[in-house]
Amino acid sequence: MADKETFDSAYPLPAYRFVVALGDDDSMTFSEVSGLDVEYEPITYKDGLGTKHMPGMATDTNITLKRGIMLGKAELWDWISKTKLNYGERKDITISLIDKEGGDPLVTWKVLGAFPTKLTAPTLDGNSNEVAVETLELRADDVQIEFA
């Protein structure tokens, strides 16, 4: 039988084992992270010989974080409440897929210069027994990816 490392590397990583650190804060729990996209707008150049395409400027980076509301945990509200005209506290965010033991990062996304643009309260429904989830939307300068 193949050794364990070869066996583990033959399968994709699960998306449910991840940690998020906002700036210098300790890791926080989130149920969902989305928007870790790297994309470039295409430029179309037309000349007498035809049409050519090339990469242009990077598109805006919009990250969405979702987590259940917990008593005494108002970090997201504290962060967005500091946002004023032409000022938003920027933080670098680290999102890491971690190994089975829950320690070592396998893939890490570094979101640089993020600031909050929207905090959405949960939908309140008396006919539901779902967890109250708040959603934070961020705008960032860049996303970098590191593989272990």
Side-chain angles (χ1 to χ4, degrees):
M1 176 162 206
D3 65 357
K4 183 179 179 323
E5 185 175 317
T6 304
F7 182 76
D8 286 347
S9 66
Y11 291 94
L13 298 172
Y16 60 85
R17 281 194 305 260
F18 63 94
V19 293
V20 179
L22 300 177
D24 295 331
D25 297 337
D26 291 330
S27 294
M28 298 175 66
T29 56
F30 288 90
S31 60
E32 184 178 330
V33 176
S34 63
L36 297 171
D37 304 328
V38 177
E39 182 179 356
Y40 293 90
E41 290 288 334
I43 296 173
T44 302
Y45 178 74
K46 296 180 181 181
D47 61 15
L49 300 175
T51 303
K52 296 174 180 58
H53 301 282
M54 61 188 91
M57 294 181 63
T59 60
D60 293 335
T61 301
N62 298 300
I63 309 294
T64 302
L65 304 172
K66 294 183 180 184
R67 75 173 191 165
I69 294 179
M70 296 179 285
L71 289 176
K73 302 286 186 180
E75 299 94 338
L76 302 184
W77 166 250
D78 292 343
W79 187 16
I80 198 166
S81 67
K82 295 176 186 174
T83 302
K84 304 291 182 224
L85 181 63
N86 289 332
Y87 176 76
E89 181 184 358
R90 292 177 176 264
K91 294 184 179 187
D92 292 339
I93 300 170
T94 304
I95 301 132
S96 298
L97 282 176
I98 56 175
D99 62 12
K100 286 185 273 193
E101 289 75 32
D104 295 330
L106 302 173
V107 181
T108 299
W109 290 264
K110 292 186 178 185
V111 179
L112 305 176
F115 63 94
T117 58
K118 182 178 181 181
L119 180 64
T120 304
T123 300
L124 305 175
D125 182 357
N127 294 317
S128 173
N129 65 352
E130 295 181 9
V131 171
V133 175
E134 63 184 343
T135 302
L136 181 68
E137 295 180 20
L138 308 166
R139 176 70 55 97
D141 292 335
D142 194 17
V143 175
Q144 298 174 351
I145 304 170
E146 295 177 2
F147 293 86

